[in-house]
C-alpha cells in the first residue's frame, strides 16, 4: 500500500466514523473519528514536511528543473546544505571537510545555503541510522 492509498483508506474510515457518530452519538465512535483525523495529520507531516507541499522537491527533481534553465552535468548537496551544479568531470566528495570538490572551472553555479528557506527532500539519502549521507547526495543529469 502506498502512502496515498493509506491516506485514502483513512479518509474513508474517518467519514464512516463521523456518519456513525451522527446516528448514534456514541462517545467511542467520536473518539475513533478524532483518532483517525489525528493519524491523517501525522501522515501529512512525513519527514517533517506536509505531503504534497508544492515547494518540496527531491534532489533529482530539483536537478531536472534547473537543467531546464542552464546546462550542467551533476547537482550536489554537501554537509553545509550548499547546492552546487557542476559541468565536466564528476565531482568528488571530501569526507574530512564534508563537501564536494572538482576543478574550479567545472562549477556552473553555487546556490548557497538554502536550509532555512527551501526544503529539499533528501530522505532517499539517509543511512541506516537515519542520518543523511551527503556523500551520496549527487544527481547526474543529461
Amino acid at each position: 500500500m502506498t502512502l496515498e492509498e493509506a491516506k485514502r483508506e483513512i479518509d474513508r474510515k474517518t467519514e464512516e466514523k463521523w456518519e456513525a457518530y451522527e446516528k448514534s452519538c456514541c462517545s467511542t465512535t467520536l473518539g475513533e473519528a478524532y483518532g483517525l483525523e489525528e493519524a491523517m495529520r501525522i501522515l501529512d507531516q512525513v519527514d517533517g514536511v506536509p505531503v504534497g507541499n508544492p515547494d518540496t522537491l527531491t534532489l533529482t527533481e530539483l536537478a531536472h528543473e534547473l537543467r531546464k534553465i542552464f546546462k550542467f552535468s551533476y547537482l550536489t548537496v554537501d554537509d553545509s546544505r550548499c547546492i552546487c551544479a557542476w559541468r565536466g568531470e564528476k565531482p568528488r566528495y571530501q569526507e574530512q571537510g564534508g563537501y564536494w570538490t572538482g576543478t574550479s572551472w567545472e562549477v556552473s553555479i553555487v546556490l548557497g545555503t538554502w536550509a532555512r528557506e527551501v526544503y529539499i527532500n533528501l530522505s532517499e539519502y539517509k543511512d541506516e541510522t537515519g542520518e543523511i549521507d551527503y556523500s551520496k547526495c549527487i544527481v547526474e543529469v543529461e
Side-chain angles (χ1 to χ4, degrees), residues 96-108:
Q96 262 188 337
Y99 61 90
W100 291 91
T101 186
T103 57
S104 61
W105 62 267
E106 290 178 324
V107 178
S108 295

Side-chain angles (χ1 to χ4, degrees), residues 65-79:
E65 290 301 313
L66 290 173
R67 187 65 171 83
K68 294 175 185 177
I69 301 168
F70 62 95
K71 288 189 175 196
F72 63 95
S73 303
Y74 300 92
L75 190 69
T76 62
V77 175
D78 64 27
D79 288 18

Side-chain angles (χ1 to χ4, degrees), residues 3 41-57 118-121:
L3 177 61
R41 275 191 288 280
I42 291 168
L43 286 178
D44 281 342
Q45 295 185 27
V46 171
D47 286 330
V49 175
V51 174
N53 181 345
D55 296 329
T56 301
L57 296 172
V118 177
Y119 182 82
I120 303 276
N121 182 345

